[in-house]
Amino acid sequence: MMVKRENNLDWAVALGLQALAHIVSEPGLYEEFFELTGFSPAELRPPRIEQRDFLSSVLDFILLTDTRLLDFCAVAGINPSEPLRARRLLAGDSGQF
């Protein structure tokens, strides 16, 4: 699923959910995500997965390493700057990018 780039919160939420889908589709990433974030598999359901702080953590995890970031961006068909832009929007930074 390709998410259209826009500087709005809906776009940021959609990209965060896309990143979460990528994480759970990769067994190694899935396990590492829980280890590093402290979240549990039980939290992977609405409304938790739609909350900005949770999606910020998802994008922080993707942004943690260049390899992880580039792998996600290749699968998603997006520019590597997009996850950071989405992360900033989720954190409430409404400035222009």
Side-chain angles (χ1 to χ4, degrees):
M1 172 178 89
M2 188 175 199
V3 177
K4 182 180 176 188
R5 182 182 107 42
E6 297 177 17
N7 287 332
N8 67 47
L9 189 55
D10 290 338
W11 167 79
V13 168
L15 189 62
L17 290 169
Q18 187 176 6
L20 179 60
H22 174 72
I23 291 167
V24 299
S25 72
E26 300 288 331
L29 283 182
Y30 182 77
E31 295 165 358
E32 189 176 359
F33 175 74
F34 291 122
E35 287 176 21
L36 291 177
T37 64
F39 291 116
S40 70
E43 293 178 271
L44 295 185
R45 67 179 112 212
R48 184 66 176 130
I49 63 168
E50 298 162 343
Q51 294 173 343
R52 290 167 61 171
D53 65 325
F54 181 82
L55 293 173
S56 292
S57 295
V58 168
L59 290 171
D60 284 341
F61 178 77
I62 290 292
L63 291 162
L64 195 58
T65 69
D66 288 342
T67 301
R68 191 178 300 142
L69 172 63
L70 295 175
D71 287 348
F72 167 64
C73 291
V75 169
I78 61 172
N79 185 294
S81 67
E82 301 300 293
L84 181 56
R85 180 177 285 118
R87 173 61 178 91
R88 287 178 174 162
L89 286 167
L90 289 169
D93 184 348
S94 60
Q96 295 295 321
F97 301 99

